[in-house]
Amino acid sequence: MPTAIEFFKLLPKTNCKDCGQPTCLAFAMLLANQKAKIDDCPHVSQSSKNALAESAAPPVRAVTVGKGKDVTMGGETVLYRHERRFINPIAYAVTVSDKTDVPERIAEIRKLTFERVGTVFSVDLISIRCDSGDAGTFGKAIDSSLRSWDGPFVLECPESILKEVIDTAAPRKPLLYCATSDNIAGMCDIAKKHSCPLALRDADPEKLAELVEKAWASGVTDIVLDMGAANLKECIERQTIARRSSVKKKFKQFGYPLMNRVGHGEYAVAMAAMSTMKYGSLVIFDDLKNYEALPLFTLRQNIYTDPQVPIQVKQGLYPIGDPDGHSPIFFTTNFSLTYFTVRADIERSKVPVWLQIVDTEGLSVLTAYSAGKFSAEHVVKSMEESGVLSRSDGVVVIPGLVARMSAKLNDLIRRRTIVGTSESRDIPKFLKNLK
Ligand code: SF4
């Protein structure tokens, strides 16, 4: 990714402000931080645009699988998330064998759905695999899958069978798995003809790079790389080599999303966790249980959040359990994890409560208080905006961690206040005893 100065050199430098920025340099800084698009400046010459497009292309190409409902992998620009952020979360796929009852299997996969801090997670792709060795059976499994699954998918089968089923599957743009040194020419022909992304597989990095060059020569550019890692050591070594080579050395042959087939069971989950942290873009499981999926989704959510932007909810008034004109009023910050924890603990109490969320730019209670973003004045302002004090004459409960704001808050709202718990988990007991 070019620096702000490199972008600046290609801009007209007239400071005309048509892009909404005061100067070309300010616009260049936004471009470098990926917060603006070059097209936002109407005066850039085509030659500059071409030069920028070339140098601004992410070192790991973004590859999209699926049509309609799709998933994009890669597009990464850095080695470490604190340098900027990771872009497209690793995708998790679960296998649907053509020897199983396909609708039943897909129904099982759909059940792997969880909600965490306001985001719903589920399996991203299915991988339809030919275990029968028979094109007719595989074709029926594809038909059945397409009726039950509207998301993106992978097709895993030998080239000879792929040729017979590709017409049915191609409109949904599946990832074709996979081309090796034995079938690279034929697989590239199919991928090119049907505009489908293609997975290339070789455990030897040099041979894998040669496969990429052959794919390029055939006109295939939407590529996913399987480096054939069989254990954790190979997984981290090979994927680190690939990411480092593409980002630091501009070695384009490895500038593609990386994938792994990991099997099933605890070792598979460990491999998937490794891939989630170190440069994987797709993991295919033979099978995945709910107790395995939840920690993986949680890990992925943490790795792929922008480290510069805390996850937050909107400031506002959140009624919990049908509160009335006498219900207690709680308040806390808009840091997502705080909000969902407090909310869940209030719900556990079964006591109706008004929960006022104060915008602290996503900071947690003590951090926001220390930074001066969660003062009594901030709390009162948010309460005035939501009108909660006129909707309920109930007691206002101050988070225990910021008990010291109680005198000031009392003065400002002239309402009975009480200091609540320091730990959210103690809220149900607190509410039960609240008179
Ligand atoms: Fe500079 Fe283009 Fe923005 Fe005008 S519109 S200030 S030329 S970047």
Side-chain angles (χ1 to χ4, degrees):
M1 178 62 61
T3 62
I5 294 300
E6 286 164 340
F7 276 116
F8 178 66
K9 284 180 185 163
L10 292 163
L11 294 175
K13 303 182 198 68
T14 57
N15 299 334
C16 70
K17 302 184 178 60
D18 287 352
C19 58
Q21 296 305 311
T23 62
C24 293
L25 184 58
F27 182 64
M29 289 170 78
L30 289 184
L31 287 173
N33 286 310
Q34 296 179 303
K35 290 184 174 157
K37 296 189 296 300
I38 188 64
D39 289 337
D40 295 341
C41 168
H43 311 297
V44 184
S45 67
Q46 193 55 47
S47 61
S48 293
K49 268 189 192 171
N50 294 345
L52 282 172
E54 170 81 5
S55 56
V60 178
R61 183 183 171 92
V63 174
T64 298
V65 176
K67 199 157 192 185
K69 259 191 175 177
D70 57 29
V71 62
T72 298
M73 301 178 277
E76 304 300 339
T77 59
V78 291
L79 268 183
Y80 305 108
R81 68 192 280 271
H82 62 261
E83 293 175 89
R84 187 167 283 142
R85 69 185 174 93
F86 291 161
I87 307 291
N88 289 305
I90 182 171
Y92 300 132
V94 178
T95 299
V96 176
S97 165
D98 68 348
K99 283 179 147 181
T100 55
D101 181 322
V102 171
E104 200 175 285
R105 176 71 173 143
I106 290 178
E108 270 173 24
I109 293 169
R110 283 193 190 285
K111 282 186 195 156
L112 298 171
T113 299
F114 305 91
E115 183 176 347
R116 184 173 182 273
V117 287
T119 305
V120 175
F121 300 110
S122 50
V123 169
D124 305 287
L125 306 93
I126 57 169
S127 185
I128 312 170
R129 188 170 72 199
C130 179
D131 289 326
S132 66
D134 175 65
T137 306
F138 191 48
K140 280 183 195 157
I142 293 171
D143 286 339
S144 180
S145 297
L146 298 191
R147 283 195 297 274
S148 310
W149 179 263
D150 59 354
F153 61 96
V154 181
L155 276 188
E156 286 187 70
C157 62
E159 181 198 343
S160 57
I161 291 183
L162 184 61
K163 277 182 184 155
E164 297 195 36
V165 300
I166 188 66
D167 286 337
T168 312
R172 294 265 296 268
K173 207 179 166 194
L175 173 65
L176 308 181
Y177 186 87
C178 65
T180 63
S181 52
D182 295 331
N183 64 7
I184 180 76
M187 290 295 282
C188 283
D189 283 349
I190 298 171
K192 177 89 175 41
K193 182 174 171 201
H194 295 278
S195 304
C196 291
L198 177 65
L200 310 182
R201 186 176 201 272
D202 204 300
D204 179 332
E206 280 185 28
K207 288 186 181 153
L208 187 59
E210 286 170 18
L211 286 182
V212 173
E213 286 163 17
K214 286 180 182 168
W216 290 345
S218 308
V220 174
T221 49
D222 280 343
I223 292 168
V224 178
L225 302 179
D226 181 345
M227 305 190 87
N231 53 49
L232 288 169
K233 181 171 178 288
E234 290 177 0
C235 179
I236 190 166
E237 278 179 358
R238 292 176 191 178
Q239 295 193 165
T240 302
I241 287 170
R243 175 67 74 87
R244 193 171 278 280
S245 308
S246 57
V247 170
K248 294 288 180 201
K249 300 189 176 154
K250 310 290 177 215
F251 185 67
K252 293 193 174 199
Q253 285 85 338
F254 286 166
Y256 293 97
L258 305 173
M259 66 168 288
N260 269 306
R261 291 201 84 268
V262 294
H264 67 277
E266 289 169 9
Y267 202 81
V269 174
M271 288 277 282
M274 174 72 82
S275 264
T276 303
M277 290 183 285
K278 286 293 173 190
Y279 313 135
S281 286
L282 170 66
V283 167
I284 302 179
F285 294 90
D286 286 345
D287 193 22
L288 185 65
K289 305 293 184 201
N290 56 1
Y291 55 84
E292 297 166 336
L294 179 57
L296 277 178
F297 288 137
T298 304
L299 175 67
R300 177 175 72 175
Q301 187 182 31
N302 287 328
I303 298 286
Y304 281 88
T305 49
D306 186 340
Q308 295 170 22
V309 182
I311 324 171
Q312 7 184 322
V313 294
K314 270 194 186 159
Q315 171 171 300
L317 183 61
Y318 294 77
I320 301 175
D322 202 16
D324 60 20
H326 309 295
S327 297
I329 301 166
F330 277 56
F331 64 88
T332 190
T333 75
N334 73 332
F335 177 43
S336 267
L337 209 51
T338 301
Y339 165 75
F340 283 104
T341 308
V342 170
R343 180 177 184 114
D345 287 324
I346 292 174
E347 283 171 348
R348 273 198 306 125
S349 75
K350 310 268 190 252
V351 177
V353 162
W354 295 101
L355 177 58
Q356 175 67 47
I357 293 299
V358 183
D359 183 0
T360 57
E361 297 170 25
L363 297 179
S364 59
V365 171
L366 273 183
T367 315
Y369 186 76
S370 310
K373 295 179 190 297
F374 193 44
S375 63
E377 287 84 353
H378 285 102
V379 173
V380 172
K381 188 164 179 282
S382 71
M383 286 181 171
E384 283 171 356
E385 282 172 18
S386 72
V388 63
L389 293 176
S390 55
R391 295 178 76 167
S392 171
D393 60 10
V395 62
V396 173
V397 180
I398 301 170
L401 290 175
V402 289
R404 67 185 66 177
M405 77 161 67
S406 63
K408 181 81 180 173
L409 194 62
N410 267 320
D411 279 356
L412 291 173
I413 62 175
R414 305 201 171 277
R415 166 80 61 94
R416 183 165 84 96
T417 62
I418 184 169
V419 174
T421 64
S422 295
E423 296 292 336
S424 177
R425 64 170 176 265
D426 298 328
I427 286 175
K429 193 170 163 204
F430 171 85
L431 275 169
K432 229 171 257 170
N433 297 326
L434 187 64
K435 300 281 184 257

